[in-house]
């Protein structure tokens, strides 16, 4: 007879979204992430740096440390908990370049990637490269090693620079050598850009090649990629590339249309396996909303009435919870970018509120001129509450409670049934074949990790509906032992068992 298990409830009992303020530090228990797991959240104006670290964040960013005593900044940095994030960490900061305010793309007649902008780079007629190899080495030696996690933003607008140039290799040879000297045996994490790295799209690659690629030597991935094909692991981070000494891939969650986002969950798992094969870390770098036209009204409640304000569409919270769980279970964690935060007010900026509607407590439409909570942009302002930060933190806590205890254990995909044990999906446990098939067959996976007498359990079906189903799964080492519980929706189901 199957043993009944109990999933963790995804939503904390004391969670109150009606406050329209982030509250995760106030309501969730503190956690400690295993070494090598990265967890960064947006701080905001109310929570302190000390609270962020005490709550379980592995890192705070450099802006969270501004204005604090140097002794405290040094202590956080020396503990490997300071993060040099992409905001303000652009190409001129990376390569110690001047900003002239404007420039042109050179050399004339060339196109991407063989161009660079004179706004930042010196240029003489006949010059074909932005920096020499010698200059690359010099720039790498100038870069600070105070932060053990560094992610740049160097691929947009005038400061866009391709990673293929020879000086980039020289830069990282110098910088990584210095990081190794600074951090010794302690881990450090370096990414070229917040959406760059080694990744793969199972649908683009197809069933055969998605399975085949994890059986290939990464030394051949660039050469073996079909000409013009999308979604294959490739690029300068692979062996022999100019970025081969960087060790952090960013799985960018920077979403457009919402219809197909759940397919990204299995691609995250697959990409984590690709990076592991290359000796790299993979982190989910998550923007909390769709990069979509801001035409969705958010209701913001005030004592004097209700403001309806247009903003971009937030990410589905089932997706956010599942993405967070998978990023820790299969990858190296999650970095939040621009998540909602806690503030002491709900003051908003008028120039960002075009098309807003203001109603008094009687429900009567009022002029925006009478709205009493406008504020200048300087000094910070309220952004719409989406719950993204709170749901992310809940999933991080649940990972720490259910999967962190078996870190270092042995993982297995499990045989499972969704009709109480009548029909079964058999586990393959060969590379990521189970995930490839689950993506293309649009079904779930059951995955466990065992350490000693503890077994962490995950069931997820990104394509699941709201109809409850009876999951039964077999113990990977003894198929006569089975476990059961109801599952539904696309959310990740988590628990920790004593076996």
């Amino acid at each position: 007879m199957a043993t009944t298990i109990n999933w963790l409830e995804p939503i904390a009992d004391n969670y109150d979204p009606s406050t329209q303020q982030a509250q995760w530090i106030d309501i969730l228990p503190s956690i400690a992430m295993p070494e090598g797991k990265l967890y960064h959240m947006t701080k905001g104006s109310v929570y302190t740096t000390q609270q962020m670290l005490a709550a379980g964040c592995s890192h705070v960013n450099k802006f969270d440390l501004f204005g604090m005593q140097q002794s405290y900044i040094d202590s956080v940095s020396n503990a490997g908990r300071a993060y040099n994030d992409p905001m303000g960490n652009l190409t001129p900061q990376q390569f110690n370049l001047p900003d002239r305010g404007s420039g042109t793309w050179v050399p004339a007649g060339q196109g991407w990637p063989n161009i660079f902008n004179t706004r930042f780079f010196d240029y003489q007629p006949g010059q074909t490269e932005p920096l020499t190899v010698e200059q690359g080495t010099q720039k790498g030696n100038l870069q600070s090693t105070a932060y053990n996690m560094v992610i740049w933003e160097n691929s947009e607008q005038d400061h866009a620079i391709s990673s293929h140039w020879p000086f980039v290799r020289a830069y990282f040879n110098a910088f990584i050598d210095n990081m190794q000297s600074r951090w010794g045996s302690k881990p450090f994490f370096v990414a070229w850009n917040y959406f760059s790295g080694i990744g793969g799209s199972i649908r683009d690659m197809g069933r055969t090649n998605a399975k085949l690629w994890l059986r290939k030597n990464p030394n051949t991935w660039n050469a073996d990629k079909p000409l013009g094909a999308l979604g294959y692991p490739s690029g300068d981070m692979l062996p022999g590339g100019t970025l081969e000494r960087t060790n952090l891939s960013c799985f960018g969650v920077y979403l457009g249309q919402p219809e197909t986002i759940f397919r990204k969950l299995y691609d995250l798992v697959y990409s984590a396996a690709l990076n592991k094969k290359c000796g790299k870390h993979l982190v989910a770098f998550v923007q909390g909303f769709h990069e979509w036209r801001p035409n969705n009204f958010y209701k913001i409640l005030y004592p004097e009435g209700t403001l309806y304000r247009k903003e971009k569409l937030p990410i589905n919270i089932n997706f956010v919870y599942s993405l967070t769980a998978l990023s820790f279970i299969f990858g190296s964690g999650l970095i939040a970018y621009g998540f909602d935060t806690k503030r002491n007010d709900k003051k908003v900026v008028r120039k960002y509120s075009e098309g807003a509607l203001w109603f008094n407590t009687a429900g009567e439409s009022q002029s925006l001129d009478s709205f009493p909570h406008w504020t200048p942009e300087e000094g910070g302002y309220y952004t719409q509450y989406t719950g993204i930060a709170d749901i992310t933190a809940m999933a991080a806590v649940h990972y720490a409670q259910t999967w962190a205890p078996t870190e270092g254990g042995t993982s297995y995909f499990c045989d499972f049934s969704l009709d109480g044990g009548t029909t079964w999906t058999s586990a393959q446990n060969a590379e990521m074949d189970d995930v490839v098939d689950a993506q293309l067959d649009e079904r779930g996976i059951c995955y466990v990790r065992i350490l000693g007498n503890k077994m962490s359990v995950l069931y997820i079906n990104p394509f699941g509906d709201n109809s409850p189903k009876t999951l039964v799964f077999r113990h990977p080492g003894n198929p006569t032992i089975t476990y059961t519980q109801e599952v539904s929706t696309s959310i990740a189901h988590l628990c920790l068992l004593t076996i």
Side-chain angles (χ1 to χ4, degrees):
M1 183 176 180
T3 300
T4 300
I5 63 176
N6 294 307
W7 305 119
L8 260 64
E9 182 65 34
I11 306 301
D13 290 339
N14 52 350
Y15 173 54
D16 182 8
S18 69
T19 65
Q20 295 192 314
Q21 297 278 6
Q23 57 206 265
W24 57 279
I25 283 183
D26 303 316
I27 66 172
L28 298 177
S30 297
I31 57 174
M33 286 292 177
E35 185 176 62
K37 295 296 182 182
L38 306 176
Y39 178 35
H40 173 267
M41 295 284 278
T42 307
K43 185 176 81 65
S45 62
V46 173
Y47 293 147
T48 67
T49 298
Q50 291 88 340
Q51 285 179 300
M52 300 286 284
L53 294 171
C57 290
S58 67
H59 288 75
V60 291
N61 69 44
K62 59 187 175 187
F63 300 106
D64 298 335
L65 295 167
F66 279 179
M68 307 191 78
Q69 290 188 353
Q70 190 61 46
S71 60
Y72 180 74
I73 295 174
D74 291 342
S75 69
V76 173
S77 175
N78 291 335
R81 305 190 71 178
Y83 159 45
N84 196 359
D85 80 345
M87 184 65 69
N89 198 24
L90 280 59
T91 305
Q93 288 77 34
Q94 180 177 9
F95 298 115
N96 194 38
L97 302 171
D99 185 349
R100 301 179 177 99
S102 63
T104 58
W105 292 98
V106 292
Q110 295 293 318
W112 187 263
N114 299 311
I115 54 175
F116 51 96
N117 201 293
T118 59
R119 176 176 171 179
F120 306 106
F121 291 96
D122 293 335
Y123 177 71
Q124 297 295 327
Q127 181 179 333
T128 59
E129 299 188 12
L131 295 173
T132 66
V133 168
E134 291 75 19
Q135 288 172 317
T137 300
Q138 293 167 3
K139 301 295 187 181
N141 283 323
L142 290 173
Q143 185 62 228
S144 171
T145 60
Y147 307 94
N148 84 324
M149 179 163 66
V150 183
I151 301 175
W152 282 283
E153 197 275 85
N154 48 27
S155 301
E156 301 170 40
Q157 303 172 43
D158 286 353
H159 60 270
I161 188 72
S162 171
S163 61
H164 81 286
W165 299 105
F167 85 86
V168 173
R169 182 192 306 277
Y171 175 90
F172 281 109
N173 281 340
F175 179 56
I176 298 300
D177 283 349
N178 292 340
M179 288 289 279
Q180 290 175 336
S181 297
R182 167 68 174 83
W183 294 101
S185 61
K186 297 178 181 178
F188 63 85
F189 310 90
V190 176
W192 168 249
N193 190 273
Y194 67 93
F195 54 79
S196 67
I198 300 167
S201 167
I202 295 170
R203 285 180 177 272
D204 286 342
M205 296 179 72
R207 196 182 308 263
T208 298
N209 278 343
K211 292 181 178 181
L212 175 63
W213 241 248
L214 278 170
R215 292 167 168 83
K216 285 176 171 283
N217 189 317
N219 289 316
T220 72
W221 286 356
N222 273 328
D224 291 348
K225 174 186 172 183
L227 184 64
L230 300 176
Y232 281 73
S234 59
D236 292 330
M237 278 188 74
L238 292 177
T242 56
L243 302 177
E244 65 178 338
R245 294 195 67 187
T246 62
N247 65 354
L248 182 62
S249 281
C250 292
F251 186 87
V253 183
Y254 189 73
L255 303 171
Q257 73 276 12
E259 288 85 356
T260 59
I261 63 171
F262 283 91
R263 295 176 181 173
K264 290 186 91 54
L265 295 175
Y266 282 149
D267 281 345
L268 168 69
V269 175
Y270 181 76
S271 296
L274 292 172
N275 278 274
K276 185 176 181 181
K277 194 170 185 69
C278 296
K280 313 286 188 183
H281 304 275
L282 180 128
V283 66
F285 195 100
V286 186
Q287 179 177 264
F289 53 85
H290 291 269
E291 197 54 57
W292 205 247
R293 185 171 181 268
N295 58 356
N296 302 276
F297 278 108
Y298 285 78
K299 180 169 70 174
I300 307 176
L301 303 174
Y302 297 91
E304 303 89 350
T306 303
L307 181 73
Y308 292 89
R309 184 170 174 269
K310 290 183 179 180
E311 261 298 352
K312 295 176 181 179
L313 186 70
I315 300 176
N316 180 290
I317 60 172
N318 270 17
F319 174 81
V320 169
Y321 184 94
S322 299
L323 176 83
T324 304
L326 297 180
S327 71
F328 285 110
I329 293 170
F330 292 96
S332 294
L334 177 141
I335 298 173
Y337 177 75
F339 278 22
D340 41 18
T341 63
K342 184 175 182 179
R343 289 186 59 83
N344 288 322
D345 59 51
K346 294 181 183 176
K347 293 183 177 180
V348 298
V349 179
R350 184 159 187 172
K351 72 176 181 179
Y352 298 144
S353 302
E354 182 181 351
L357 304 173
W358 170 234
F359 296 88
N360 63 19
T361 54
E364 301 165 333
S365 179
Q366 304 292 301
S367 167
L368 288 177
D369 291 338
S370 68
F371 178 68
H373 298 283
W374 298 125
T375 186
E377 182 175 359
E378 297 76 17
Y381 50 90
Y382 180 79
T383 56
Q384 76 284 352
Y385 177 72
T386 63
I388 298 301
D390 292 327
I391 300 302
T392 296
M394 290 176 202
V397 167
H398 294 161
Y399 157 79
Q401 293 172 337
T402 61
W403 278 79
T406 63
E407 193 70 32
T410 305
S411 300
Y412 309 88
F413 292 94
C414 295
D415 300 339
F416 69 93
S417 167
L418 290 176
D419 56 12
T422 301
T423 58
W424 291 82
T425 298
S426 298
Q428 301 168 73
N429 283 302
E431 297 291 354
M432 281 290 157
D433 291 2
D434 293 271
V435 174
V436 171
D437 287 338
Q439 176 81 304
L440 298 177
D441 297 339
E442 297 192 351
R443 63 164 173 82
I445 57 171
C446 187
Y447 186 71
V448 302
R449 187 168 66 207
I450 299 173
L451 183 66
N453 68 339
K454 300 294 183 183
M455 182 166 72
S456 303
V457 181
L458 161 73
Y459 175 80
I460 185 171
N461 180 5
F463 310 96
D465 56 30
N466 293 335
S467 175
K469 297 175 177 59
T470 301
L471 171 73
V472 180
F473 68 93
R474 294 176 176 134
H475 187 290
N478 185 346
T480 65
I481 301 174
T482 56
Y483 304 88
T484 187
Q485 185 50 274
E486 187 177 276
V487 294
S488 63
T489 79
S490 57
I491 204 165
H493 299 65
L494 306 173
C495 72
L496 178 67
L497 305 177
T498 300
I499 57 176

